[in-house]
Amino acid sequence: MVPEATFSSYYGRPVLKEPVWRAPDVPGYLFLGGLAGASSVLASGAHLSGRRELARVAKSGALGAISLSAVALIHDLGRPERFANMLRVFKTTSPMSVGSWLLAGYGPVAGAAALCDLTGKLPRAGLAATLGAGLLGPGIATYTAALICDTAVPAWHEGRREMPYVFAGSAASAAGGLGLLATRPPGARPARDLAVLGAAVELVAKRQLVSRLGGLAEPYEAGRTGAILRLAEVLAAGGMAGAVLGGRSRLVSALSGASLLAASAATRWGIFEAGMASARDPKYTVVPQRERLTRRARGAADGPGPPRGGPIG
Amino acid sequence: MSDMPADPAGRAGYAAGHPPRVGFFTDTSVCIGCKACEVACKTWNEVPEDGLRLTGMSYDNSVGLGASTWRHVAFIERSVASGGTIPPEPPLLTGGLPVPPSSPEGGGPDVTGDIRWLMSSDVCKHCTEAGCLDVCPTGALFRTEFGTVVVQQDVCNGCGYCIPACPFGVIGRREGDGRAWKCTLCYDRIGSGLEPACAKACPTESIQFGPLDELRERAQSRVAELQRAGNGKAQLYLDGEGNGVGGAGAFFLLLDEPEVYGLPPDPVVPTRDLPTMWRHVALAAAGLAATAVALSLGRRR
Ligand code: SF4
Ligand code: SF4
């Protein structure tokens, strides 16, 4: 058995302040932004290759998801009536500022793309809007990784290298999943491929993230959060299998799509909760920092220290 | 040793003639736990009450810094009987610093029976590289001409981003008000040449206010003195520029490791790693775009 690392704290109180961000607003925001952004990319491809049904599903999905995510974002503000202050300045040091500007550009074009498609009006403007949304979509889907990792929250900050890939994969699998759910199988082919590939990237990157964290993996694995993330893996695996094997059946396709959408949402939820848990417990702040100091002191004395991430008691 | 403090005000665009960077040096070795700083801060800044409760954490009932606690006095009880881990009493008659009254038995004022206290008044660090300020999307948090970090309450929309971006857990969102609040280093007072309310009220000069370079010099000689007197764990926390926040406007002399006082031992501003994060975000976004387009443009059946 690994001996429990001992550490000091002030009456067990957290060193950090737990984010005031609430569920379901914020995990919902992360999920919906991914769904919207990746759907817009899918919509561009589908539009250009003449897959009208899939393009319509993806464009409407993007509009619906981004509208809901904006509601979630504003609802989570302490002063919702001041949401417009988000566009008061532009700061690359603030992922939330960058994200607000992205959203301000993306929202209207995604809306225009969907409305032109649904009404059949202004096809040229519709094409331009579709491509515009497709261009901004990947940013919308992934900037949220920087948003949560650019904090002192240990489980997020230390996962910063893999998080963008987890989010990109998760977004692709959600958008593909929606395509599978709402499109008849022959036309859903690109959605299926995107969903399966996205889910695979999400699974691998998530595993990679957790395994690199050492002792900080605990918040991702323990308790209810661990259960949510395991559920996400089961749903993703099931969805992938269904999408690949049952591709000809409308029902199996739809169920697989729903399963992948749920997997993506559960992933975001689990990552959100893991961060919150790591902020609440001082050991996740103190122990890695102590180890870093020890390594630095030892490194100064006799070259590089042991690899990062020992157990956290 | 005492290098010139970084000039965050200059970096923020204030012209060369801006006032020198000011800050706090909190010498916890002379703190008597009177909480005058907490009271003075609340009174001057009209900070509302934030819960009246008995915590069981020694004499500490304000628990920690937050939206409505901008100075917080920590009390750590050390049982003298348990031996071993108790740092020796700091020498009190030194360096021209004020001397708290000693008890007749010769123990310091923080010794009662077999308990002694470590006490420390915590505050916002007014970091050179301030996570809260970096991530604030509205520009509500800004750098003053004194190099301090202040929230403009009429701009803050309560997004809450600054809260997890602070590696010290200082700033908080006020319940019912919805905005983020923290120590302003008495921006209004120092603007009129007064010292901050907490420093003014502190009876032992545990809280010292002044130009940062002077405070750093004073702190160096004080810690050297304590160490010479046998207080091996006496240490400066966040002095100089060589820490993860690029130096702090408020730094401390502690008598034990930082985490004992609830402070992070090696804090790093999260935005130091942001360029790397953006790079990975860009790669992930490009990958997503290329994959999705390639898959959907692929041959039709
Ligand atoms: S201590 Fe926290 S709240 Fe204060 S300036 Fe530094 S990052 Fe901001
Ligand atoms: S809560 Fe207010 S001060 Fe904090 S980051 Fe948001 S807008 Fe800025």
Side-chain angles (χ1 to χ4, degrees), chain A residues 64-156:
Chain A
I66 207 65
S67 309
L68 273 177
S69 88
V71 171
L73 178 71
I74 294 172
H75 182 246
D76 201 59
L77 295 177
R79 288 284 174 110
E81 74 280 7
R82 291 187 182 172
F83 74 92
N85 281 2
M86 290 288 189
L87 302 181
R88 205 179 146 263
V89 291
F90 174 74
K91 289 166 78 177
T92 52
T93 59
S94 169
M96 198 180 279
S97 171
V98 173
S100 299
W101 284 99
L102 265 176
L103 270 174
Y106 170 83
V109 282
L115 292 181
C116 289
D117 191 308
L118 291 172
T119 59
K121 300 242 163 69
L122 304 172
R124 305 268 286 275
L127 174 62
T130 302
L131 295 179
L135 214 60
L136 293 172
I140 293 287
T142 50
Y143 93 86
T144 43
L147 178 79
I148 62 166
C149 294
D150 189 25
T151 60
V153 172
W156 294 338

Side-chain angles (χ1 to χ4, degrees), chain B residues 124-127 129-133 149 165-168 170-171 182:
Chain B
C124 168
K125 319 303 180 282
H126 295 276
C127 311
E129 296 172 43
C132 61
L133 191 161
V149 178
C166 170
F168 305 95
V170 166
I171 193 166
K182 72 168 191 72

Side-chain angles (χ1 to χ4, degrees), chain B residues 95-143:
Chain B
L97 283 167
V99 183
S102 285
S103 62
E105 306 86 76
D110 51 351
V111 177
T112 308
D114 56 358
I115 295 284
R116 68 168 298 235
W117 280 273
L118 297 178
M119 288 162 294
S120 169
S121 180
D122 194 12
V123 70
C124 168
K125 319 303 180 282
H126 295 276
C127 311
T128 306
E129 296 172 43
C132 61
L133 191 161
D134 285 344
V135 304
C136 176
T138 63
L141 273 155
F142 78 110
R143 183 76 63 181

Side-chain angles (χ1 to χ4, degrees), chain B residues 25-190:
Chain B
F25 165 45
T26 305
D27 176 356
T28 72
S29 70
V30 291
C31 176
I32 55 172
C34 69
K35 303 189 193 179
C37 50
E38 286 192 12
V39 176
C41 174
K42 283 248 180 193
T43 312
W44 179 264
N45 294 300
E46 297 182 322
V47 180
E49 173 261 306
D50 68 341
L52 299 168
R53 58 204 176 280
L54 295 176
T55 60
M57 293 157 52
S58 191
Y59 284 97
D60 179 1
N61 293 312
S62 51
V63 181
L65 296 173
S68 301
T69 305
W70 301 352
R71 268 279 177 191
H72 163 249
V73 182
F75 291 77
I76 297 118
E77 293 186 3
R78 283 294 156 87
S79 152
V80 175
S82 72
T85 56
I86 309 114
E89 273 302 293
L92 295 167
L93 291 161
T94 48
L97 283 167
V99 183
S102 285
S103 62
E105 306 86 76
D110 51 351
V111 177
T112 308
D114 56 358
I115 295 284
R116 68 168 298 235
W117 280 273
L118 297 178
M119 288 162 294
S120 169
S121 180
D122 194 12
V123 70
C124 168
K125 319 303 180 282
H126 295 276
C127 311
T128 306
E129 296 172 43
C132 61
L133 191 161
D134 285 344
V135 304
C136 176
T138 63
L141 273 155
F142 78 110
R143 183 76 63 181
T144 74
E145 64 274 33
F146 300 100
T148 56
V149 178
V150 175
V151 189
Q152 301 173 78
Q153 297 303 341
D154 55 339
V155 176
C156 171
N157 69 8
C159 73
Y161 201 6
C162 50
I163 296 163
C166 170
F168 305 95
V170 166
I171 193 166
R173 192 161 80 179
R174 192 174 286 167
E175 222 43 70
D177 167 280
R179 293 172 296 177
W181 297 81
K182 72 168 191 72
C183 161
T184 69
L185 219 140
C186 283
Y187 191 34
D188 51 350
R189 291 177 61 95
I190 62 178

Side-chain angles (χ1 to χ4, degrees), chain A residues 10 17 51 88 94 290 292, chain B residues 60 65 135 138 259 296:
Chain A
Y10 185 65
K17 263 207 171 37
R51 293 179 168 94
R88 205 179 146 263
S94 169
R290 256 296 143 217
R292 196 157 67 206
Chain B
D60 179 1
L65 296 173
V135 304
T138 63
E259 56 265 40
S296 42

